[in-house]
């Protein structure tokens, strides 16, 4: 419980913020858990820093489980028990080490069904309105660092993010990479939509994503420590006396809403989230997938699907949402400066 960590209740109702969420799994009743470490400078009392992580996952396969996983328990160790674990440790640290500005620790519900908890929070943040929030750090899927990098997705939402994470990487010794673009698929997007600079710390995609195989034994504990250290450095800057950011979101709409509902099909590729060129770079290809059968390899860059060009991962996701299992489409990709194409039949996700 947040009280045991030394945090103050978020409101007169306590730590729990109740709201109605879409979807039958929770019967419409859901709640965020929120606590605050108050700042030391009364002149900055309204300028909050938010650190968040989502507590929900797919349970026994809701919403949108992969084919064959319906009714199976989805532990969600990486997505997102890893983020919640780091958030709790940071809450413990900052409760004992308050900064100039208040830091809100928010554990959101209903992220998997459309960011319900964070959307509710930014509209009902009480004494800490979104208009005065300095910035937000979202911890989502941070448990598989290994030899990889900690990605700061959405770093293009403020000019200073890249410098903050360059410094955090230098101080901690962790490999950190700022990625300007954001997919709009996790809770930081709810803050972008209100004009608040926000990033998602992320340690990369893997084949266990949204599957029953996302288990605790696969979590990199040393990696969690590295993520916590980087997040601590960033939060200390934001909550310090000179931590203001320069937003680059433009009119408070940095991340467009998700389009077209849930994606029902898969090509069998895992994207490289750190790639910022045109198209979608392939990080890995699933065994026996349509992509493997077509000849796609890790390192290839997909540039078009079904006759439509792909600018980035959002475009790719939107095109896949238009397809149904069994549909055929031509995929075009580049490798070592050469262009390739093949007709694929997408399969149920």
């Amino acid at each position: 419980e947040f009280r045991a960590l030394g945090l103050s209740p978020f409101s007169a109702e306590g730590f729990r913020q109740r709201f109605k969420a879409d979807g039958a799994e929770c019967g419409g009743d859901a709640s965020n858990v929120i606590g605050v470490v108050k700042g030391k400078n009364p002149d900055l009392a309204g300028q909050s820093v938010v650190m968040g992580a989502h507590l929900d996952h797919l349970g026994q396969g809701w919403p949108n489980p992969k084919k064959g996983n319906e009714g199976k328990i989805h532990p969600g160790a990486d997505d997102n028990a890893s983020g919640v674990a780091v958030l709790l440790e940071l809450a413990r640290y900052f409760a004992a080490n308050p900064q100039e500005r208040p830091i809100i620790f928010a554990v959101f519900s209903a992220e998997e069904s459309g960011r319900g908890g964070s959307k509710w929070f930014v509209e009902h943040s009480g004494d800490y309105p979104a208009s005065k929030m300095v910035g937000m750090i979202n911890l989502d899927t941070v448990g598989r660092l290994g030899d990889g990098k900690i990605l700061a997705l959405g770093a293009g939402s403020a000019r200073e993010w890249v410098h903050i994470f360059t410094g955090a990487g230098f101080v901690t010794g962790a490999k950190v990479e700022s990625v300007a673009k954001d997919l709009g698929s996790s809770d930081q997007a709810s803050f972008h939509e209100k004009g608040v600079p926000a990033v998602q710390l992320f340690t990369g995609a893997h084949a266990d994503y949204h599957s029953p195989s996302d288990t605790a034994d696969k979590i990199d504990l040393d990696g969690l420590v590295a993520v916590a250290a980087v997040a601590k450095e960033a939060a200390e800057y934001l909550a310090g006396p000179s931590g203001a950011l320069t937003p680059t979101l433009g009119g408070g709409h940095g991340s467009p809403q998700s389009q077209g509902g849930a994606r029902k099909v898969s090509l069998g590729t895992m994207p490289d989230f750190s790639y910022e060129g045109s198209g979608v770079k392939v990080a890995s290809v699933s065994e026996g997938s349509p992509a493997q059968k077509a000849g796609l390899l890790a390192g290839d860059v997909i540039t078009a699907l079904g006759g439509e060009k792909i600018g980035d991962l959002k475009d790719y996701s939107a095109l896949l949402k238009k397809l149904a299992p069994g549909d055929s489409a031509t995929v075009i990709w580049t490798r070592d400066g050469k262009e390739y194409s093949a007709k694929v039949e997408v399969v149920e996700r």
Side-chain angles (χ1 to χ4, degrees):
E1 189 173 298
F2 271 22
R3 184 177 289 104
L5 300 179
L7 278 70
S8 300
F10 172 68
S11 68
E13 288 71 38
F15 295 96
R16 199 168 292 275
Q17 184 186 47
R18 303 182 189 279
F19 64 97
K20 291 291 184 180
D22 294 333
E25 180 79 353
C26 59
D29 295 320
S31 60
N32 300 324
V33 183
I34 306 169
V36 182
V37 174
K38 295 182 178 179
K40 297 186 293 184
N41 187 340
D43 293 334
L44 302 176
Q47 300 180 25
S48 63
V49 175
V50 181
M51 305 200 77
H54 73 89
L55 59 83
D56 62 308
H57 192 51
L58 303 193
Q60 290 183 312
W62 183 92
N64 307 313
K66 295 179 181 178
K67 183 180 179 181
N69 289 338
E70 301 89 346
K72 296 180 180 179
I73 293 174
H74 291 63
D78 190 19
D79 180 19
N80 184 38
S82 66
V84 173
V86 172
L87 184 82
L88 292 175
E89 189 57 32
L90 290 167
R92 193 187 313 277
Y93 171 80
F94 281 111
N97 298 276
Q99 305 294 299
E100 296 293 303
R101 289 182 169 88
I103 304 178
I104 299 172
F105 291 90
V107 190
F108 300 119
S109 188
E111 189 271 349
E112 299 289 5
S113 56
R115 298 188 276 113
S118 56
K119 286 180 179 179
W120 181 266
F121 172 77
V122 296
E123 297 288 351
H124 303 86
S125 51
D127 294 335
Y128 305 95
S131 61
K132 292 185 178 181
M133 289 176 185
V134 174
M136 187 268 186
I137 299 172
N138 181 30
L139 297 150
D140 189 354
T141 314
V142 294
R144 300 281 194 96
L145 180 58
D147 295 327
K149 298 177 181 178
I150 301 169
L151 302 180
L153 305 179
S157 60
R159 295 177 186 172
E160 293 83 3
W161 282 128
V162 63
H163 305 296
I164 291 170
F165 286 109
T166 297
F170 178 79
V171 170
T172 63
K175 293 183 286 185
V176 187
E177 182 171 344
S178 296
V179 180
K181 293 181 180 180
D182 177 64
L183 299 179
S185 58
S186 189
D187 288 313
Q188 73 277 1
S190 300
F191 291 80
H192 289 172
E193 288 162 4
K194 300 296 289 185
V196 180
V199 294
Q200 174 191 348
L201 296 188
F202 177 61
T203 54
H206 47 76
D208 298 316
Y209 173 74
H210 279 197
S211 296
S213 54
D214 182 9
T215 52
D217 58 296
K218 298 175 182 177
I219 296 297
D220 175 10
L221 299 181
D222 290 338
L224 287 184
V225 173
V227 172
V230 168
K232 167 188 166 294
E233 292 295 324
E236 284 183 333
Y237 174 82
L238 295 180
S242 60
L245 298 178
T246 308
T248 56
L249 292 167
H253 298 285
S255 291
Q257 298 279 357
S258 299
Q259 302 174 358
R263 177 162 60 90
K264 302 295 185 183
V265 304
S266 173
L267 194 61
T269 59
M270 195 67 71
D272 180 347
F273 286 88
S274 66
Y275 178 72
E276 296 201 73
S278 182
V280 172
K281 189 174 183 180
V282 178
S284 63
V285 178
S286 299
E287 189 74 23
S289 66
Q292 186 190 52
K293 294 173 183 177
L296 279 154
L297 301 173
D300 291 348
V301 177
I302 301 172
T303 58
L305 180 66
E308 296 190 52
K309 290 185 178 180
I310 297 171
D312 56 23
L313 196 49
K314 284 183 180 178
D315 293 342
Y316 183 51
S317 180
L319 290 174
L320 287 173
K321 286 178 182 179
K322 295 179 180 180
L323 300 175
D327 286 350
S328 294
T330 298
V331 59
I332 298 175
W333 69 94
T334 61
R335 180 190 304 156
D336 298 328
K338 296 181 180 180
E339 187 174 272
Y340 299 83
S341 69
K343 195 169 185 178
V344 296
E345 182 178 301
V346 294
V347 296
E348 186 173 352
R349 184 170 179 265

